[in-house]
Amino acid sequence: MSAALQSWGRYPPHPQSTTPCFWRGDVGAALAQLAQRHGSLLPFGNGRSYGDSCLAASNHLLQLRPLDRVIDVDWQTGRICAEAGMTLDALIALALPRGWFVPVTPGTRFVTLGGALANDVHGKNHHVRGSFGCHVGRFGLVRSDQPPHEPPLVCSRHEHPQLYAATIGGLGLTGVVAWLELQLMPIASSLIDVTEQRFGSLSDYFALSQAMDAQHEYSVAWIDCLARGTAAGRGVYLAGNHAQDGPLAVARKRPLRVPVTPPVSACNRWSLSFFNTLYFHAHRAGPRRRQVGYESFFYPLDRVLHWNRLYGPGGFQQYQCAIPHREAEAAIAALLQAVSKARSGSFLAVLKRFGNLPSPGLLSFPLAGTTLALDFPQAGAATARLFATLDAIVREAGGRLYPAKDAHMQAEDFQAWYPAWRQCEALRDPALHSRFWQRCTAP
Ligand SMILES: Cc1cc2nc3c(=O)[nH]c(=O)nc-3n(C[C@H](O)[C@H](O)[C@H](O)COP(=O)(O)OP(=O)(O)OC[C@H]3O[C@@H](n4cnc5c(N)ncnc54)[C@H](O)[C@@H]3O)c2cc1C
């Protein structure tokens, strides 16, 4: 057993004990033993989920990071079969020099393949390629109701199709994914051609996104949610494509590190306001084109390891919602207004467009529309009050929240927003249970 783990937001504080699993063939036995000892458990990847969806109801995790081997790969077609504990970081280091990249990547490369599948993660190219699960052809699933030494159940659209659909975005509850097969995306260069443009209001963002997203593989915007008055809704829009030629070079910069947790949060109104103003003015008013390395385009936050410690011992929560196209502009304006009124700015405020490519997963988060993600230091009742206001806006607009980032969603909301939860519950491995599932499926 190793040291206690927490989720990325370090809230809610339910320290977890873990047992690592080193061999694919041992997953079944580990599952059986831990279920017997602790009643239930949860598979764990690299803990990059913010809230309580990666925390076990029993506080006991099966750590799958050590399962990080390539099982089979065809560099002609870009089809790779790898163990579920492999991180995107390790996969990119292998694939990129050969002209392949992950088809969908979240904003950190320190997630595992198993974690990416269980949350059916999305990237800056959802409008073009859908979510991670769209690119996973098959995976091997180990369940506690199978004899422990039997090989994993192979799940695909044609083999155990119900388990396939329930596991993609299934929050780690339908079994342990031991391996998965992913179709990589061909690229000609590790550089990204980026167009950056400042915008002065939310309507300008929607106009830019409408005009530019379709011509770009990637798009994202940062928004200054502390700006008020005439500056309200200002931000910076970024669109990118893989460059057509250039090196295929893996990033090797040594990241910085936040060594300890400060006694109080370093992310407060004043530091955020300073950062936001600086960031906004660091970009030109007109469009600017430049080439950047893939790591600075996709993973700016990975430059500082353990940046989550900056929020202090109380941790933080991310609020990420998706709002359907028709309601998006008005609802996002209302959300930002509520945040500004509560005088609780967010360090990270990100807007992305979701396309309409359906996910094979039953509980997948994206819906055709716009997603907004905001980070808030955990401030007890004040955070709860603000989130209740934001939830009402999301509900009214026909949107929903992202379980991978969540620590507060009401059970009634989850059940209304994800009606397929009952199908997933029926297919849940009886030995697997999470804090999130306990909270959100309560009657
Ligand atoms: C800086 C940052 C940026 C992010 N940006 C994005 C983004 O742009 N888009 C996005 O979608 N997400 C984003 N995320 C969230 C992150 O991508 C997801 O939470 C991801 O699922 C975390 O993967 P993990 O390997 O750390 O898994 P964990 O957080 O450890 O676990 C996540 C879930 O996967 C399950 N799981 C893990 N391994 C297995 C397995 N082998 N078998 C079965 N279940 C398993 C766990 O039970 C849990 O339910 C971001 C997170 C951070 C910290």
Side-chain angles (χ1 to χ4, degrees), residues 79-96:
R79 188 155 280 257
I80 186 161
C81 181
E83 290 180 340
M86 174 174 260
T87 58
L88 295 192
D89 186 42
L91 177 54
I92 291 168
L94 265 180
L96 191 141

Side-chain angles (χ1 to χ4, degrees), residues 8 42-50 53-54 64 84 105-108 110-112 114-116 118-123 171-172 175-177 301 307 352 402 404-405:
W8 190 248
L42 192 70
F44 190 75
N46 210 22
R48 258 45 180 194
S49 301
Y50 283 65
S53 68
C54 65
L64 294 147
T105 177
T108 170
F110 300 125
V111 302
T112 62
N119 278 323
D120 194 21
V121 299
H122 57 270
L171 304 170
V176 176
V177 176
L301 291 171
W307 60 261
K352 282 187 263 197
Y402 190 10
K405 307 287 182 72

Side-chain angles (χ1 to χ4, degrees), residues 139 141 143 153-170 173-175 360-363 420 422-428:
F139 52 83
L141 193 68
R143 285 180 58 97
L153 294 173
V154 176
C155 302
S156 70
R157 287 179 192 269
H158 310 292
E159 303 148 285
H160 303 289
Q162 287 182 321
L163 275 175
Y164 175 75
T167 302
I168 296 176
L173 296 164
T174 56
L362 292 179
L363 294 185
R422 282 187 197 282
Q423 277 163 271
C424 293
E425 173 60 14
L427 290 166
R428 181 162 68 87

Side-chain angles (χ1 to χ4, degrees), residues 192-196 238-239 283 288-292 296:
I192 308 288
D193 289 328
V194 185
T195 302
E196 302 173 349
L238 300 175
H283 293 82
R288 174 181 169 206
R289 292 187 178 80
R290 59 193 182 114
Q291 277 196 331
V292 301
S296 70

